[in-house]
Amino acid sequence: MTKKSGGMKIGILTAGGDCPGINAAIRGVGKTAILKYSMQLIGISDGFTGMINKEYRELTEHDLSGILTVGGTILGTSREKPFKSSGKNKNEIKRPVLIKEHYEQMGLDCLVCIGGNGTLKTAYLLSLEGLNVVGIPKTIDNDVWGTDITFGFDSAVNIATEAIDRLHSTANSHKRIMLIELMGHNAGWIALYSGIAGGGDVILIPEIPYKEEKIAEYLLRRTDENKPYSIVVIGEGVENPHKERSVAHYLSNRINELTGLETRETVLGYIQRGGTPSPMDRVLATQYGTAAVDMIAERDFGKMVALKNGHLDSVPLSDVSGKLKLVAPDNPLVIQALNMGTSFGV
Ligand code: F6P
């Protein structure tokens, strides 16, 4: 039964760090809005910056064609934080007011915000200003509270795991300690999952503070056991005493100093955010997009679509805003890895 939405006009924006799957989510929103509910879809450029500057265009079915597999975001993104002022520019405080004015001038019935923690917090604050908003959780970091998983995460784990797989052969050939630093901001999800998937011997995540001496002891013990090389997988958010260089560079030098073993480091960086989404991310992003429009048709605003125990659900943005979903030290994956002899640097 197709429920007419009375020709609602919905805006959609993508904000924060890009990731594979955003265009799949835009496509899921757009096709459902246009084909199921006869809604009008307005694509806003470069995240909240586009709402401030009224930069937008109508998205038609044609615009949505062929974007399922395309990385990045066809709308562009920014890290604009309308409610966070630097205090250097008196016009900054007007940004939320401008967003609300433009939302009304554009005749929007709802604003779909695709983003991570910062975006979802901004969406929540805009809902307090009276805008109808729906959030869609995206980030490679998988650190959005309230949902099992964000799209972008699976693609990043695939990319990171392939990189780790490749490090094994060069580490073995040279009998080296290979360190790889992965993204994830203050959460260790990417390092944990790709570390296990890639057979990392040491997995360092921000949630479990490491001790250099423990890492050194573990690596020397492996050498004594005639294990000729080791792989150290590092989440970028772990403690880095030398801020001017990567933590992988710091730890590579320290491990060499403490053990005398030859080390090399790789910082995988933005490779983890690029390219086509994994099939799982394409499916998840599509699910989130279509579910968001169903919520809009029901005028169920102020919430984020979510996956809970494998089922599509929704969570009030008030519950999500300002929170992070971090790896608990007693996470079953951590315990299982420890039981298999993996070191977490403790
Ligand atoms: O939030 C996604 C993310 O890739 C983090 O993992 C990383 O720390 C951050 O963005 C990098 O931010 P930027 O794209 O602004 O350099």
Side-chain angles (χ1 to χ4, degrees):
M1 165 67 171
T2 300
K3 179 174 179 198
K4 290 294 180 193
S5 63
M8 290 173 84
K9 189 176 184 183
I10 62 175
I12 183 169
L13 62 80
T14 61
D18 74 310
C19 72
I22 295 177
N23 290 324
I26 294 170
R27 176 177 173 274
V29 168
K31 280 183 170 283
T32 307
I34 295 167
L35 298 177
K36 181 176 178 182
Y37 293 108
S38 303
M39 293 174 177
Q40 191 182 2
L41 186 66
I42 303 298
I44 293 136
S45 302
D46 303 330
F48 295 104
T49 304
M51 282 301 292
I52 293 166
N53 301 331
K54 272 183 93 171
E55 289 160 354
Y56 61 89
R57 70 183 190 277
E58 182 167 0
L59 292 179
T60 64
E61 245 205 291
H62 176 73
D63 296 309
L64 303 170
S65 175
I67 68 170
L68 171 66
T69 61
V70 176
T73 161
I74 60 170
L75 295 176
T77 185
S78 70
R79 289 194 180 276
E80 179 88 48
K81 292 183 169 46
F83 291 89
K84 192 170 182 180
S85 294
S86 64
K88 296 171 186 157
N89 176 347
K90 65 179 186 320
N91 292 324
E92 279 184 328
I93 56 172
K94 295 175 188 168
R95 289 173 296 166
V97 172
L98 279 175
I99 289 174
K100 183 172 183 180
E101 281 176 8
H102 295 163
Y103 172 92
E104 289 161 353
Q105 289 166 11
M106 291 158 71
L108 296 180
D109 295 293
C110 180
L111 182 62
V112 176
C113 302
I114 301 178
N117 296 297
T119 302
L120 295 164
K121 180 176 182 180
T122 299
Y124 168 59
L125 294 174
L126 288 173
S127 72
L128 299 181
E129 298 294 324
L131 278 70
N132 295 327
V133 299
V134 167
I136 294 179
K138 74 92 190 130
T139 174
I140 65 167
D141 303 341
N142 193 35
D143 60 357
V144 173
W145 191 91
T147 185
D148 295 346
I149 189 169
T150 56
F151 71 78
F153 174 64
D154 184 66
S155 298
V157 170
N158 277 282
I159 294 164
T161 302
E162 185 189 347
I164 295 167
D165 288 351
R166 292 177 179 279
L167 288 179
H168 279 267
S169 57
T170 179
N172 191 17
S173 303
H174 290 266
K175 312 293 180 278
R176 282 170 170 167
I177 309 297
M178 277 292 179
L179 294 86
I180 181 168
E181 180 179 328
L182 302 175
M183 283 187 161
H185 204 210
N186 295 323
W189 295 106
I190 299 175
L192 177 61
Y193 272 73
S194 56
I196 290 170
D201 304 296
V202 180
I203 300 174
L204 304 178
I205 59 177
E207 299 90 336
I208 301 177
Y210 67 84
K211 292 182 174 62
E212 296 172 5
E213 295 69 23
K214 293 293 184 186
I215 298 171
E217 282 170 27
Y218 177 87
L219 294 172
L220 284 171
R221 195 162 58 245
R222 281 181 55 83
T223 306
D224 295 342
E225 294 162 357
N226 293 320
K227 292 170 182 172
Y229 73 93
S230 296
I231 304 287
V232 180
V233 180
I234 308 163
E236 64 177 344
V238 303
E239 186 192 356
N240 180 8
H242 288 189
K243 300 292 181 212
E244 67 282 359
R245 296 292 301 269
S246 70
V247 66
H249 179 83
Y250 169 75
L251 284 171
S252 180
N253 286 345
R254 286 296 292 144
I255 288 169
N256 178 251
E257 287 164 10
L258 293 170
T259 66
L261 297 171
E262 199 177 2
T263 60
R264 292 291 188 276
E265 73 271 6
T266 299
V267 178
L268 199 55
Y270 295 87
I271 304 287
Q272 298 159 92
R273 297 217 324 233
T276 187
S278 68
M280 291 307 290
D281 271 344
R282 296 177 196 183
V283 171
L284 182 60
T286 298
Q287 285 184 296
Y288 280 168
T290 57
V293 180
D294 287 338
M295 285 165 63
I296 293 167
E298 297 296 328
R299 288 174 167 69
D300 189 11
F301 302 125
K303 293 180 180 175
M304 172 187 86
V305 294
L307 199 65
K308 283 186 175 176
N309 301 318
H311 297 286
L312 279 173
D313 201 332
S314 65
V315 183
L317 284 167
S318 55
D319 289 354
V320 175
S321 180
K323 288 182 186 159
L324 274 183
K325 184 186 70 185
L326 300 175
V327 179
D330 64 350
N331 181 295
L333 269 178
V334 173
I335 303 304
Q336 288 153 1
L338 284 167
N339 292 342
M340 291 168 55
T342 304
S343 165
F344 283 79
V346 294

